[in-house]
Amino acid sequence: NKFKDGLAKTRHSMAARVNNLVKRYRKVDEDFFEELEEILISADVGVNTVLELVEKLKDEARTRNIKETEQLKDVIIEVLSNMLTEDEKDAAIAIQNDGLTVILVVGVNGVGKTTTIGKMAYKFKEEGKSVLLAAGDTFRAGAIEQLEVWGERAGVEVVKHNEGSDPAAVIYDAIMAAKSRGVDILICDTAGRLQNKVNLMKELEKVKRVISREVPGAPHEVLLVLDATTGQNAMTQAKIFGEATDVSGIVLTKLDGTAKGGIVLAIRHELDLPVKLVGLGEGIHDLQPFDSDTFVYGLFS
Ligand code: GDP
């Protein structure tokens, strides 16, 4: 199971430490909860989420009269899983049954945006959909070429202009091409500079305006790509992009490369945004839908 393998680092740190704690304490007491808090915070679960989680655990322990840590461990899994599944209904990518689906992909340079677009294109193609990519990052040197490399790998075409040109114009052309070819899914790359929030906001607004004018109801998804290895930085980025545009979901990349997979919980809980996909490696197949049960049980088993 790729998802479970991808979580190996987090499992080894966070879950192994929780298991160890459970064995060491045997009896549930205040010190036990304090150490548990420390472990979860160091796995980047996020302070607020941890405090709430531990409160819930204490409540459960009280109402169910749980005295043994071994018993409480099952409750940890249960409470974590409940926290993640609360809003799971919107975890799927909103693909239209009829007509063109437009997906806008945003995120800071280096988080794995291009790789994710390539993997998504491949995935949709495998599912029998026709896909087109729009090279909307006209700002970063090499971004267009890099997207073309992924387009080739995935076997899909890329609509592009020259570096430095207007991203909204590229995306307009891509929409026209997608419509005339009867394409199912158009995935649009965007520039990932955060240095100037006002510019970022303006650019994203303009791009979105073009999309919604040409395709009513679109963009159907605005996916924010975050790098799990950056921990709380990812949270900051999510807040900034959340203010700049209406983000509909998160793609969390590099989950395979971090012991801080607890960030999934922080994102889900503190930002109230669904984690829709997770990146579990550099290869074209290494993208999976996020499944909270597999995530939580994968962490602790
Ligand atoms: P961009 O600047 O956001 O477009 O980032 P890229 O797509 O170029 O990715 C940056 C680096 O992260 C590359 O070396 C990718 O191979 C790597 N990368 C992207 N996604 C993943 C992932 O899920 N797991 C791992 N281990 N590496 C990834």
Side-chain angles (χ1 to χ4, degrees):
N1 182 322
K2 214 163 200 157
F3 197 21
K4 213 176 144 183
D5 292 347
L7 290 172
K9 284 193 179 155
T10 305
R11 181 164 59 246
H12 288 147
S13 68
M14 174 165 123
R17 286 175 69 194
V18 171
N19 285 334
N20 191 300
L21 184 72
V22 164
K23 287 208 187 80
R24 206 147 41 77
Y25 270 84
R26 289 173 186 272
K27 296 284 173 209
V28 178
D29 61 15
E30 205 44 47
D31 288 345
F32 170 81
F33 283 119
E34 238 168 66
E35 274 201 48
L36 181 64
E37 271 177 16
E38 271 169 38
I39 292 171
L40 296 174
I41 288 171
S42 72
D44 256 331
V45 174
V47 178
N48 294 339
T49 310
V50 171
L51 294 181
E52 207 181 311
L53 172 72
V54 171
E55 270 321 300
K56 280 187 187 164
L57 277 176
K58 285 181 181 171
D59 278 351
E60 290 296 323
R62 223 173 293 129
T63 34
R64 298 194 209 174
N65 199 20
I66 294 172
K67 301 240 174 344
E68 310 278 325
T69 55
E70 193 60 50
Q71 255 180 302
L72 194 67
K73 196 186 133 192
D74 294 335
V75 184
I76 299 177
I77 296 175
E78 196 185 305
V79 171
L80 274 176
S81 177
N82 285 344
M83 280 172 82
L84 277 172
T85 39
E86 271 164 13
D87 283 303
E88 199 165 51
K89 56 186 180 302
D90 51 9
I93 303 279
I95 302 298
Q96 304 303 106
N97 289 327
D98 259 327
L100 178 62
T101 298
V102 183
I103 300 173
L104 194 60
V105 185
V106 302
V108 174
N109 291 335
V111 292
K113 199 152 41 85
T114 318
T115 307
T116 298
I117 292 172
K119 289 172 178 174
M120 277 170 62
Y122 178 77
K123 194 173 160 61
F124 291 137
K125 244 194 102 194
E126 289 284 284
E127 291 166 8
K129 308 277 187 200
S130 54
V131 182
L132 190 66
L133 305 181
D137 184 356
T138 58
F139 187 76
R140 184 170 64 92
I144 299 168
E145 291 75 15
Q146 207 195 336
L147 191 68
E148 283 186 303
V149 170
W150 272 105
E152 252 171 58
R153 272 183 207 150
V156 306
E157 272 187 59
V158 178
V159 174
K160 58 166 185 175
H161 287 185
N162 290 332
E163 206 178 294
S165 60
D166 182 358
V170 181
I171 286 169
Y172 175 83
D173 275 359
I175 293 172
M176 293 304 118
K179 280 183 175 175
S180 71
R181 296 178 206 175
V183 160
D184 298 315
I185 302 171
L186 172 66
I187 310 176
C188 307
D189 194 9
T190 59
R193 64 210 140 113
L194 253 198
Q195 293 82 348
N196 188 331
K197 203 173 116 186
V198 177
N199 280 350
L200 171 81
M201 230 182 264
K202 276 192 190 146
E203 186 167 310
L204 289 178
E205 256 168 38
K206 189 171 171 194
V207 162
K208 278 180 80 174
R209 212 161 43 235
V210 168
I211 294 173
S212 58
R213 191 184 64 214
E214 301 306 325
V215 186
H220 303 94
E221 291 278 0
V222 179
L223 298 178
L224 171 62
V225 183
L226 297 173
D227 177 343
T229 64
T230 64
Q232 294 304 309
N233 253 344
M235 294 290 287
T236 310
Q237 287 167 20
K239 281 176 195 148
I240 295 173
F241 275 92
E243 284 160 18
T245 190
D246 294 321
V247 173
S248 62
I250 304 288
V251 181
L252 194 62
T253 63
K254 311 185 197 180
L255 213 48
D256 54 303
T258 181
K260 302 191 164 214
I263 192 77
V264 172
L265 276 155
I267 291 171
R268 188 75 205 82
H269 202 66
E270 285 169 38
L271 304 174
D272 201 27
L273 282 171
V275 175
K276 298 208 168 189
L277 296 164
V278 290
L280 297 163
E282 294 184 283
I284 203 160
H285 300 101
D286 299 329
L287 184 74
Q288 299 251 320
F290 179 71
D291 177 69
S292 52
D293 277 344
T294 316
F295 180 75
V296 175
Y297 292 96
L299 275 187
F300 287 96
S301 54

